[in-house]
Amino acid sequence: STPFLSLCVICGDVGLPVLPRMLRSVLCRRLGPCADEVVIWWNGKTSTPDPAEWGLPPEVDIRVIQGEWRDNFAWARQQSFEAARGEWRMYLDADDILSGGEDDAETQKSIQRASLTQGEVMHHATLQAAIDALKDAGAKHIVPIALAH
């Protein structure tokens, strides 16, 4: 079946040490992974990494595509988008962290203080309503993520 949301990432040797943490912030969540597919556009000089070594949920399709670096982030991002199969595509840098994950103790405490569950926050009808709920819960840094359809 067609994935709903594909996470696209450009990564090379420099970003490899932080890439597993970013992926865990997106995929290892109490309510399940936020993405159905991950496409890693790998342009490193070392051998292609094996995501199976990172302890990620096995139900998420993670593909590493060997790409070239043309000194052009926009081009590389577009290549990752074209390789993705999801109905929606989201891009994150290898060093980004999606707050609210199981590892994010500060966000978890803020949500608990406001007597909200992650499910209640995530099911608001609009992005603005979700942002307002996170602010009310004490979140300090909120970064809306652009999705491409």
Side-chain angles (χ1 to χ4, degrees):
S1 70
T2 301
F4 179 72
L5 178 64
S6 296
L7 169 62
C8 300
V9 183
I10 302 168
C11 190
D13 298 326
V14 173
L16 185 57
V18 295
L19 180 62
R21 180 168 184 229
M22 183 276 285
L23 292 173
R24 282 192 299 275
S25 81
V26 174
L27 303 177
C28 299
R29 302 176 74 82
R30 188 176 335 144
L31 297 175
C34 289
D36 306 300
E37 172 190 54
V38 175
V39 175
I40 301 168
W41 183 261
W42 176 254
N43 58 36
K45 305 242 185 276
T46 60
S47 61
T48 305
D50 180 6
E53 299 172 357
W54 299 335
L56 301 170
E59 68 269 18
V60 178
D61 179 26
I62 302 173
R63 294 183 293 130
V64 180
I65 298 173
Q66 183 65 48
E68 62 181 290
W69 181 243
R70 294 187 178 179
D71 210 21
N72 185 327
F73 280 102
W75 178 84
R77 183 179 56 239
Q78 188 60 35
Q79 299 309 304
S80 70
F81 279 178
E82 289 177 12
R85 299 184 316 249
E87 185 177 336
W88 290 86
R89 286 139 178 132
M90 169 175 73
Y91 177 82
L92 291 175
D93 289 329
D95 61 351
D96 287 338
I97 300 294
L98 188 61
S99 67
E102 291 182 21
D103 292 358
D104 189 349
E106 183 178 326
T107 299
Q108 291 300 323
K109 287 178 188 172
S110 296
I111 289 172
Q112 289 169 357
R113 277 196 306 270
S115 300
L116 296 173
T117 67
Q118 275 187 314
E120 289 170 325
V121 172
M122 291 172 60
H123 288 99
H124 280 282
T126 66
L127 176 60
Q128 189 59 53
I131 290 171
D132 291 345
L134 286 168
K135 285 180 182 175
D136 291 345
K140 294 181 179 132
H141 304 286
I142 301 169
V143 180
I145 299 168
L147 299 176
H149 189 252

